[in-house]
Amino acid sequence: MAIERTFSIIKPDATKRNITGKVNALIEGAGLKIVAQKRIQMTRAQAETFYGVHKERPFFGELVDFMISAPVVVQVLEGEGAISRYREVMGATNPANAVPGTIRKECALSVGENSVHGSDATETAAIEIAQFFSANEIVG
Ligand code: CMP
């Protein structure tokens, strides 16, 4: 399988509980390499742009409010089949449905406060990475 890059966010529920290291240990344990990482306070405009695809959903306002409620850690992860690998490691969107050992099963609180985001496809990974990182900030 080809080496890919995917975009990850460690969300406010995880930064507030000071468990970003626990999340990173699960990422690294799955064979993914963190090739860029920074802790930021997302602006409302950044969150609305990032989740623009969901703007008609009933939970959009709640989602944006949550994403700006505390710092997040944005990351670029690299590895073989990184996009699908990370989605496996994250587990189901709703932690109630997530498999033991996945980040959401071990860390998430609810479908909204679900600890992590990961890109769903090659195109979205490229767009999401470019929203938060310049090329010289990614060091493989
Ligand atoms: P994420 O993978 O970041 O992409 C969209 C996010 O919307 C998703 O994770 C959830 O955190 C959030 N989400 C999905 N469904 C709901 C819901 N029913 N209520 C609140 N947030 C949701």
Side-chain angles (χ1 to χ4, degrees), residues 21-128:
K22 179 177 177 179
V23 173
N24 278 349
L26 290 167
I27 289 170
E28 293 180 343
L32 293 166
K33 185 172 174 185
I34 301 165
V35 294
Q37 174 170 260
K38 56 191 173 188
R39 184 176 172 103
I40 61 166
Q41 173 61 55
M42 224 185 249
T43 65
R44 182 170 293 277
Q46 280 176 314
E48 286 176 350
T49 298
F50 185 78
Y51 280 121
V53 67
H54 295 303
K55 66 175 180 296
E56 305 304 332
R57 301 279 195 101
F59 57 80
F60 180 69
E62 188 187 325
L63 175 60
V64 169
D65 286 347
F66 167 60
M67 292 302 290
I68 65 173
S69 66
V72 297
V73 176
V74 291
Q75 304 174 308
V76 181
L77 310 181
E78 186 178 86
E80 282 196 16
I83 295 167
S84 59
R85 181 78 188 113
Y86 189 42
R87 292 183 73 80
E88 283 169 18
V89 176
M90 287 195 299
T93 303
N94 185 343
N97 302 325
V99 169
T102 61
I103 295 169
R104 285 169 171 159
K105 186 66 177 184
E106 304 306 324
C107 303
L109 302 175
S110 66
V111 67
E113 295 188 304
N114 66 354
S115 299
V116 280
H117 166 86
S119 307
D120 62 3
T122 312
E123 300 72 26
T124 43
I127 291 166
E128 291 175 359

